[in-house]
Amino acid sequence: MRIALVGIGKIALDQHVPALADSPDWDLAATVSRSGSVPGVDAFTDIDAMLKAHPDVGTVSLCLPPVPRFDAAVQVLRAGRHLMLEKPPGATLSEVHVLADLARAQGVTIFASWHSRMAHGVAAAKAWLAGKTVHKGRIIWREDIRKWHPGQDWILAAGGMGVFDPGINALSILTEILPAPVHLRTAELDVPANRQAPIAARLNLSQDITADLDFRQEGPQTWDIELQTDAGHLALRMGGNLLEVDGTRVDGQDSIMGEYPALYARMAGLVRDGASDLDLAPMVLVADAFTLGQRTTVDPFDF
């Protein structure tokens, strides 16, 4: 199947392009970007021009930042093409509901792709937790914004989500593996004096689960989820790629490179089945954090 990739930035070049190059399901036929491109692939700077030039492209994958994504997504769906959305699927919940209704009306697939759910240890963690009771848990998700988003001012602007851009990955795993739904109780958001989005956050969730999210960690990065249950202690490390039970490694790999190939395999299956997957549970928790969050102004931040 032929696919177009819109938004040729860091995440597209690091993850999407290699995943598509190795995929048995997809042929990358076109790209759309203001400045980026992929060697040997037809490049455009306008989505509408690409859609008109490539009626053979049945699917479009959007890797744009959240705020400009909606208008591009509407163009794709109105053209009758299947749509894959990089996380988060939109800047607001309401616009994603609009996209879901439009996809349904057009009879095409829409997929909100939570890449961390495809991490190597997640499925095994979900299976182990099935039928168990979670008594307590903690998420520690700390990484270096300058390493993963160098110079990307949009991520700390209104709509950019700030630390929830990576933090939503942890929440996507949590909402996938827990045997019972989770909801937000309280939140604290640290917002730099010269920015609009939080650079750090602390969440208190039901089931006595806490989350410590920070975009300022230098050196080794930390992406851990630990849950204490009635049958023992489960830990997912390295962003969900390593699973430990009672301190013993039982599943996973020392790599994050399998997530995007798995996403594109999932998208291929949805298109073939005429189905959609638009789970918004992780985004609901983030929206609730912005609604309930107690804001503290912290030191200005500059790249």
Side-chain angles (χ1 to χ4, degrees):
M1 295 180 285
R2 294 172 71 76
I3 191 169
L5 193 57
V6 179
I8 309 300
K10 188 175 190 304
I11 188 64
L13 294 173
D14 288 352
Q15 297 286 352
H16 289 261
V17 173
L20 288 168
D22 292 337
S23 173
D25 300 302
W26 298 104
D27 174 23
L28 181 57
T31 63
V32 182
S33 179
R34 289 178 299 178
S35 56
S37 62
V38 177
V41 177
D42 206 5
F44 296 82
T45 57
D46 178 76
I47 292 178
D48 188 57
M50 182 277 293
L51 292 169
K52 289 177 179 177
H54 278 280
D56 57 318
V57 168
T59 300
V60 177
S61 179
L62 289 186
C63 303
L64 299 169
V67 171
R69 196 176 299 163
F70 176 77
D71 290 340
V74 168
Q75 285 181 275
V76 170
L77 293 174
R78 285 181 176 166
R81 317 298 171 92
H82 305 296
L83 178 64
M84 179 171 165
L85 297 162
E86 175 62 88
K87 62 85 187 172
T92 68
L93 287 165
S94 58
E95 70 182 33
V96 182
H97 285 297
V98 170
L99 297 178
D101 291 342
L102 182 55
R104 191 178 303 111
Q106 292 289 89
V108 296
T109 291
I110 185 169
F111 177 34
S113 63
W114 303 106
H115 67 84
S116 288
R117 287 183 173 178
M118 300 298 181
H120 296 294
V122 171
K126 181 177 182 178
W128 188 87
L129 285 168
K132 297 179 175 66
T133 300
V134 175
H135 295 307
K136 189 174 184 179
R138 66 173 184 169
I139 296 168
I140 303 176
W141 218 259
R142 291 170 161 257
E143 64 180 61
D144 186 350
I145 187 174
R146 292 185 174 96
K147 176 179 179 179
W148 301 102
H149 298 278
Q152 295 178 7
D153 288 288
W154 63 265
I155 206 166
L156 290 173
M161 295 185 67
V163 75
F164 287 107
D165 181 85
I168 204 170
N169 295 333
L171 299 176
S172 74
I173 295 173
L174 188 71
T175 52
E176 174 71 9
I177 66 176
L178 284 179
V182 67
H183 65 271
L184 184 75
R185 288 177 170 159
T186 64
E188 299 174 346
L189 312 179
D190 293 345
V191 182
N194 60 338
R195 304 289 179 172
Q196 295 295 317
I199 200 163
R202 293 160 299 283
L203 311 180
N204 287 298
L205 305 163
S206 59
Q207 303 179 53
D208 199 15
I209 298 171
T210 62
D212 173 10
L213 316 176
D214 205 311
F215 235 162
R216 299 166 297 188
Q217 178 152 308
E218 299 177 0
Q221 312 285 275
T222 306
W223 302 296
D224 291 346
I225 298 174
E226 299 180 358
L227 299 172
Q228 187 65 46
T229 78
D230 57 350
H233 181 270
L234 176 143
L236 278 169
R237 308 200 185 280
M238 200 175 173
N241 284 284
L242 295 177
L243 172 61
E244 298 174 359
V245 174
D246 293 330
T248 300
R249 176 173 168 173
V250 298
D251 202 351
Q253 297 182 22
D254 295 309
S255 170
I256 63 172
M257 295 307 292
E259 296 173 7
Y260 280 83
L263 284 181
Y264 279 102
R266 172 66 172 156
M267 183 63 182
L270 290 170
V271 170
R272 293 190 182 105
D273 293 342
S276 290
D277 181 353
L278 201 65
D279 178 26
L280 296 180
M283 196 171 173
V284 168
L285 291 176
V286 172
D288 288 350
F290 277 101
T291 300
L292 288 177
Q294 187 173 22
R295 288 162 171 78
T296 300
T297 301
V298 297
D299 291 342
F301 177 85
D302 293 300
F303 286 94

